[in-house]
């Protein structure tokens, strides 16, 4: 029988949020191959964040309101900045200063990604096992990283396919505007955590 944790993590990560929006847009703009470091960074970063949440970092954030507020402000600032960059982008890019996320940027983004914190807190509290703390953190972190790798690959590939439909500058402008607005809207989730 499938561990219910895996189903919860799959549905939690597959639904649109900052990572899905950014990876779909990156796949469309930069292609599948150039987006792979971003994909790997998200998968590893989500695993680390969720494992640390299972170890109690999430409870610490909830117990210290000023620390939680600082993380929320950093998160919404970064998300709005990325939405602005996406809004100002020009579509397919193969050279120049515009580039996909690096591995490290993608890992670090997970620390301020509100959706990951919400899902990780829910998983750590709702799907905890009787394992010792370190093993439980590895269990949850491994589930998040493993499942999210496939989720990230799917959305990046979907973005790559979507690029074939975006043949005109107007189509690209509509796409990047919609994706930027969706990303900015996801920033408001920060204050729901």
């Amino acid at each position: 029988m499938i561990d219910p944790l895996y189903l919860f993590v799959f549905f939690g990560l597959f639904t649109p949020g900052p990572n899905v929006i950014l990876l779909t847009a990156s796949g469309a703009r930069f292609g599948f191959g150039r987006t792979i470091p971003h994909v790997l960074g998200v998968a590893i970063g989500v695993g680390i964040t969720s494992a640390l949440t299972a170890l109690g970092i999430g409870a610490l954030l909830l117990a210290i309101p000023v620390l939680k507020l600082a993380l929320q402000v950093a998160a919404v600032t970064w998300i709005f900045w990325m939405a602005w960059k996406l809004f100002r982008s020009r579509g397919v890019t193969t050279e120049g200063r515009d580039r996909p996320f690096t591995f490290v940027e993608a890992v670090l983004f997970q620390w301020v990604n509100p959706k990951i914190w919400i899902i990780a807190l829910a998983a750590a509290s709702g799907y905890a096992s009787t394992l010792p703390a370190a093993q439980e953190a590895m269990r949850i972190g491994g589930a998040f990283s493993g499942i999210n790798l496939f989720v990230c690959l799917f959305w990046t590939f979907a973005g790559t396919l979507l690029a074939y439909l975006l043949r005109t500058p107007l189509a690209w402008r509509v796409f990047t505007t919609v994706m930027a607005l969706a990303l900015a809207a996801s920033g408001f989730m920060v204050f729901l955590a």
Side-chain angles (χ1 to χ4, degrees):
M1 185 166 161
I2 296 177
D3 186 338
L5 169 69
Y6 300 141
L7 293 174
F8 174 79
V9 170
F10 173 77
F11 288 112
L13 297 177
F14 191 80
T15 56
N19 283 327
V20 167
I21 294 164
L22 289 169
L23 287 165
T24 304
S26 185
R29 294 184 62 229
F30 304 109
F32 190 82
R34 288 186 67 200
T35 304
I36 290 297
H38 185 173
V39 166
L40 296 175
V42 169
I44 297 298
V46 163
I48 292 169
T49 302
S50 59
L52 290 174
T53 301
L55 283 173
I57 297 294
L60 180 67
L61 288 174
L62 294 175
I64 305 174
V66 72
L67 185 58
K68 179 183 177 191
L69 180 62
L71 184 63
Q72 287 173 317
V73 169
V76 78
T77 301
W78 195 352
I79 289 170
F80 286 169
W81 175 75
M82 288 184 302
W84 177 248
K85 279 185 62 176
L86 183 58
F87 177 76
R88 293 180 37 94
S89 69
R90 303 273 185 241
V92 174
T93 304
T94 57
E95 56 187 55
R97 293 176 49 189
D98 205 13
R99 61 169 177 71
F101 266 34
T102 65
F103 174 82
V104 172
E105 289 168 336
V107 169
L108 293 176
F109 175 64
Q110 304 323 304
W111 280 90
V112 294
N113 183 340
K115 183 178 177 189
I116 299 308
W117 283 102
I118 292 167
I119 297 168
L121 285 167
S125 61
Y127 296 93
S129 70
T130 57
L131 294 170
Q135 289 177 341
E136 180 65 9
M138 287 175 39
R139 173 182 165 261
I140 289 178
F144 271 78
S145 278
I147 292 168
N148 204 33
L149 176 60
F150 293 104
V151 167
C152 292
L153 289 170
F154 172 86
W155 284 111
T156 301
F157 187 68
T160 303
L161 293 178
L162 188 59
Y164 290 108
L165 300 175
L166 304 172
R167 296 287 187 198
T168 66
L170 177 60
W172 276 106
R173 172 58 33 214
V174 169
F175 173 72
T176 57
T177 299
V178 168
M179 296 302 272
L181 289 173
L183 184 59
S186 76
F188 292 107
M189 285 182 10
V190 168
F191 297 104
L192 299 177

